[in-house]
Amino acid sequence: IDDLEIGATYVTDQVAYKYTDVLEQEHEGSIAVYGGDIVIPVFNFQLAKADLYTEFAQIQDFGSGNATGVFFRFPLRSFAELHIKLEKRVFGDNFVPNYFDSNYERARIADTTDALSRYSQLRSAKASDGYFGMLAGHILQKIYLSGEFQRTQGQPFSGKAILRADASKLIPSIGLKAMFYKSNVEQFSDIFTLDQFALSEVEFGYMLNRFIMASFVYRWTWIRDENDRPQVQERIEPRLSFVYSF
């Protein structure tokens, strides 16, 4: 088959969880995820392209999952492009999709007895199926926008949404990115409810040379006070990054 694609992935965190048991003994461990994917082209026209794909992932010593879907691309000449992805997901016990997602760092360091802990979510995850959708695109290959939503069928408040914007190519040597993440979504209005399940980031950076970027990451999280009003928590993080375009 022309343009058939086959791929493999491997991701790990050597200190993915750490906790103290009832005997006050400390435990820590790593998490590794590996998988593979196959992409089959359906049609390839000048203004519309479509691929069928299937993916499989296994979390080492835990569960596995797979996804099958269709990916549409609509090149709008040279000034813009639109991408749409729709997929069906089937997961086994002890499997969390997108384990290393945008909220991973906060969820990783949470106490493992906390429901927000990613390790606790992994250990308690039950077999399920759900769906995922993505809408993304760019303007003049300078501004990139995307939105993703996923949900597990039969599990209330299992929705997760991610909104991203990247204008790093708009001004030479300047990096500008923004992201908003929300979990525990049941209705569409929940996506924009500011609570402990919401996270927002803006990164502003400057290229010191061809490969090194110095930046500041502004991060906002929220908690609810005794009157159920959102209280913002702000954090500023300096960052030095190695940047290379393949």
Side-chain angles (χ1 to χ4, degrees), residues 116-134:
L116 294 177
S117 164
R118 185 55 50 87
Y119 183 65
S120 294
Q121 295 172 358
L122 179 62
R123 294 182 61 184
S124 61
K126 302 298 181 182
S128 62
D129 62 280
Y131 55 87
F132 168 86
M134 180 196 74

Side-chain angles (χ1 to χ4, degrees), residues 111-208:
D111 190 298
T112 54
T113 60
D114 190 334
L116 294 177
S117 164
R118 185 55 50 87
Y119 183 65
S120 294
Q121 295 172 358
L122 179 62
R123 294 182 61 184
S124 61
K126 302 298 181 182
S128 62
D129 62 280
Y131 55 87
F132 168 86
M134 180 196 74
L135 179 65
H138 69 76
I139 302 173
L140 298 174
Q141 297 185 353
K142 300 293 185 181
I143 301 176
Y144 293 80
L145 304 171
S146 68
E148 303 175 5
F149 183 78
Q150 64 183 33
R151 182 167 183 165
T152 302
Q153 293 180 331
Q155 293 187 15
F157 299 97
S158 61
K160 297 180 181 180
I162 303 177
L163 304 176
R164 294 188 179 95
D166 187 343
S168 299
K169 295 184 179 181
L170 188 62
I171 304 175
S173 300
I174 299 296
L176 182 59
K177 299 179 181 180
M179 182 274 297
F180 179 77
Y181 172 89
K182 183 68 194 306
S183 62
N184 207 54
V185 175
E186 176 66 15
Q187 301 177 359
F188 180 79
S189 59
D190 294 336
I191 295 178
F192 303 101
T193 300
L194 302 179
D195 54 22
Q196 68 270 31
F197 300 101
L199 168 67
S200 182
E201 288 184 352
V202 173
E203 181 177 7
F204 178 79
Y206 178 76
M207 295 295 297
L208 301 178

